Amino acid sequence: MIQKNPKTSWMDPKTPQIDSSSYVHPSAVVIGDVEIRSNVFVGPNVSIRGDEGGPIVIGSGSNVQDNVVMHAFKGKAIKIGQEVCVAHAAVVHGPCTIGDQSFIGFGVTIFKANIGCDCFVSTRALVTGVDLPDGKFVSNAQVVDSRTNVATLGAVPESQRELAAEVVEVNKEFAQAYQLLAR
C-alpha cells in the first residue's frame, strides 16, 4: 500500500515518490514523505512510515527486505545511501543515516545513529546514539552505544564485504525481474 500521510500540525500530506525502476511488494506499506530512488527492491511486509518524521530517502540500488520497519521522530529524517542492504526484520529509526554500500543485518536495530559507508552490522546488533566511521564491522548481537564501543570496532572482513556485494546484486536483479512480473 502506498499512501499519503495525514495532515498534522507539523506536516502537510505528502505522497511517496517511487522511481519507476524500483519495485515495492504489494504487502509493503509506504506512507508520506518517502523517496525511493532507482532500482530499489522493497520486500514483503515492509513498513516505511514518513508520517511523523521525514524525509525517508532510500538510495539507488538499495534493498529493504521482508519485515523491515523504518520510521523517524517528528522533524527528523532517515537517509539510506546507494547499494545499501537492510536485511530481514531490521528496525531503522531516525534520525539516522546509513552510508553507501553498507549492510544492515537480520534483526538489527539502528536508532539515532549514523553508519558510515562500507560498514557491516551483523545479525541482531544494536547501534544507537553513535557515529560509525566508514568500513567498520559490528559483530552478531553486539551493542554499540558509546564512543568507547565504536573505538573497539575493526574493519569489515573480506567475506562479509563479498556477502554484502552479492546481496545487493541479487536484489537489484529482483527489482528488475519483479517489475516485469507486475506488468
Side-chain angles (χ1 to χ4, degrees):
M1 175 176 62
I2 298 167
Q3 71 178 55
K4 287 183 181 181
N5 61 287
K7 181 172 177 45
T8 59
S9 61
W10 67 90
M11 185 183 283
D12 289 329
K14 295 183 180 178
T15 300
Q17 302 299 305
I18 301 169
D19 188 276
S20 63
S21 66
S22 290
Y23 176 78
V24 176
H25 190 275
S27 69
V29 176
V30 182
I31 300 172
D33 194 3
V34 176
E35 179 185 351
I36 297 174
R37 295 191 174 153
S38 64
N39 207 26
V40 171
F41 174 82
V42 177
N45 302 313
V46 168
S47 176
I48 304 172
R49 286 186 40 220
D51 57 357
E52 181 178 353
I56 298 174
V57 179
I58 301 171
S60 297
S62 291
N63 62 86
V64 181
Q65 298 177 13
D66 314 32
N67 300 308
V68 166
V69 174
M70 290 188 187
H71 190 250
F73 287 129
K74 183 169 92 172
K76 305 300 180 186
I78 295 173
K79 303 230 187 261
I80 308 292
Q82 295 183 55
E83 298 187 342
V84 169
C85 177
V86 183
H88 310 293
V91 175
V92 178
H93 203 288
C96 73
T97 60
I98 300 173
D100 296 344
Q101 287 92 38
S102 284
F103 184 95
I104 307 303
F106 309 117
V108 165
T109 299
I110 307 292
F111 178 57
K112 291 185 175 180
N114 297 303
I115 310 298
C117 296
D118 301 306
C119 289
F120 194 104
V121 181
S122 298
T123 302
R124 296 183 335 272
L126 167 64
V127 181
T128 182
V130 296
D131 295 330
L132 261 59
D134 295 347
K136 292 299 179 183
F137 178 73
V138 178
S139 61
N140 288 341
Q142 184 173 7
V143 174
V144 181
D145 62 356
S146 69
R147 285 188 210 161
T148 303
N149 295 136
V150 172
T152 67
L153 299 175
V156 178
E158 187 57 33
S159 62
Q160 301 307 82
R161 285 185 193 284
E162 291 169 2
L163 171 66
E166 180 180 330
V167 171
V168 166
E169 289 309 309
V170 164
N171 282 279
K172 285 196 305 193
E173 188 169 331
F174 274 155
Q176 295 170 1
Y178 276 107
Q179 276 287 12
L180 292 173
L181 277 179
R183 292 182 185 161

